[in-house]
Amino acid sequence: MQVHAVDDVRAALDAARTLGFPVSLTAPAVGTDPLRADCASEVRSAYRTLRRAGTADPFAVTMNIEEAGLDGPEVGVEAVVLCPEEVRTVAVTRKTLCPDRSQAAVGYSIDAHDELLQDDTLARLVAQAATTLGLTVGVVHADVRLTARGPLILQVGAWLADDLIPLLVARARGIDLARAAAALAAGDTPDLSPTREAAAAIRYLYPGTSGRVVRLKAPDLFTLPWLDRFTWTRRTGNAVLGPPRSGREDRLAHWVVTGADAADCTSRLCRIAEHVTARIAKPASSPVGTP
């Protein structure tokens, strides 16, 4: 799959025309979800949106444009580059999508028994991508599309994955990626031997509509041994955006669970969701004729 890195909107339009619509735009340094564009005007709009999201980061200028609409799910691969000849895959992150939020993730899960951990083709692909980018040591997060033609690299970042994914790795496999990164930075070789054979998952609560948060309530479930954490990330009185415009800053809460496998975690995530209440008051409509 072809991926074009662009630094201005004209280059973005040229790349989109070369690839053919639809295309997907991402700003790797910003960490926002991909934006799909089906025509030139949507490329311009998506480009402006990503630029605004990265205004606080002077290094978040370059964007990637790639083919969209490819078949197959997207997964994350958490790997560690011990040296140019040895890239170790330590976890595969599965993404949970919400139909009414396009391709935005509402959660992730990691299973120590995931069959993709034994996929040599996937491991070689990530290792080759890291080597091609000149990465010699460090922690790597790769986004991969599992297509009928085989796995395709979407992007590779020489950093820890966000959205608490390193926590899931620690809970499912017992591998501390932050500690591994620190060891490599100090010139040491980290121990990547898994000490757990379990699963862990996280779910984000998004608002169902735009408005102001007027009620947030969760039952006293913190005594459950498999509930790792539950955290409110917005408060009553906060204004939030509903789908399809909602982003990470609009998340109302998140919770992390552990289990024997991914199915076990999914059941427990849903159990918590059934007892969480979030009420959003829609803004009052302006009267007809109001300027």
Side-chain angles (χ1 to χ4, degrees), residues 59-127:
F59 299 102
V61 177
T62 300
M63 298 180 199
N64 290 338
I65 298 184
E66 60 202 38
E67 300 170 85
L70 291 174
D71 61 311
E74 179 183 328
V75 301
V77 177
E78 318 312 323
V80 178
V81 182
L82 296 173
C83 65
E85 295 76 30
E86 185 175 4
V87 181
R88 191 92 55 87
T89 295
V90 299
V92 173
T93 305
R94 301 278 185 168
K95 179 188 293 188
T96 302
L97 303 176
C98 182
D100 64 356
R101 299 195 69 253
S102 183
Q103 292 298 303
V106 295
Y108 298 95
S109 67
I110 290 177
D111 190 336
H113 303 97
D114 196 311
E115 60 184 10
L116 288 179
L117 280 173
Q118 310 304 322
D119 191 316
D120 292 337
T121 300
L122 179 62
R124 284 196 300 269
L125 181 68
V126 173

Side-chain angles (χ1 to χ4, degrees), residues 21-287:
F21 294 104
V23 294
S24 176
L25 284 77
T26 57
V30 180
T32 57
D33 292 313
L35 297 179
R36 175 177 168 132
D38 293 291
C39 60
S41 62
E42 291 184 4
V43 169
R44 295 189 187 93
S45 177
Y47 188 91
R48 288 194 296 267
T49 298
L50 292 173
R51 280 299 299 267
R52 285 195 297 268
T55 52
D57 186 350
F59 299 102
V61 177
T62 300
M63 298 180 199
N64 290 338
I65 298 184
E66 60 202 38
E67 300 170 85
L70 291 174
D71 61 311
E74 179 183 328
V75 301
V77 177
E78 318 312 323
V80 178
V81 182
L82 296 173
C83 65
E85 295 76 30
E86 185 175 4
V87 181
R88 191 92 55 87
T89 295
V90 299
V92 173
T93 305
R94 301 278 185 168
K95 179 188 293 188
T96 302
L97 303 176
C98 182
D100 64 356
R101 299 195 69 253
S102 183
Q103 292 298 303
V106 295
Y108 298 95
S109 67
I110 290 177
D111 190 336
H113 303 97
D114 196 311
E115 60 184 10
L116 288 179
L117 280 173
Q118 310 304 322
D119 191 316
D120 292 337
T121 300
L122 179 62
R124 284 196 300 269
L125 181 68
V126 173
Q128 182 181 17
T131 301
T132 301
L133 291 173
L135 305 179
T136 56
V137 293
V139 174
V140 168
H141 170 76
D143 291 317
V144 181
R145 178 82 66 191
L146 304 177
T147 77
R149 293 174 287 171
L152 295 174
I153 292 286
L154 299 179
Q155 63 179 16
V156 177
W159 50 67
L160 291 166
D162 55 8
D163 283 340
L164 293 181
I165 289 174
L167 174 66
L168 302 185
V169 177
R171 296 294 184 266
R173 306 217 67 203
I175 299 173
D176 189 330
L177 289 178
R179 189 180 295 275
L184 289 169
D188 298 328
T189 300
D191 182 4
L192 299 178
S193 303
T195 59
R196 297 184 183 181
E197 294 293 328
I202 187 170
R203 180 67 52 84
Y204 310 108
L205 178 63
Y206 281 91
T209 186
S210 298
R212 195 165 297 278
V213 181
V214 294
R215 189 185 184 203
L216 296 172
K217 183 180 179 181
D220 185 13
L221 297 173
F222 298 101
T223 57
L224 294 172
W226 45 261
L227 179 59
D228 188 89
R229 65 185 60 191
F230 182 100
T231 303
W232 292 111
T233 48
R234 302 297 285 172
R235 299 179 179 179
T236 55
N238 289 157
V240 293
L241 293 175
R245 295 181 296 162
S246 51
R248 295 180 181 181
E249 67 279 3
D250 299 298
R251 291 172 178 169
L252 304 174
H254 65 257
W255 52 96
V256 176
V257 302
T258 57
D261 52 33
D264 198 17
C265 287
T266 298
S267 175
R268 290 172 174 178
L269 288 172
C270 293
R271 179 176 170 184
I272 298 298
E274 290 172 355
H275 295 88
V276 177
T277 300
R279 185 179 164 210
I280 310 296
K282 296 182 180 180
S285 301
S286 300

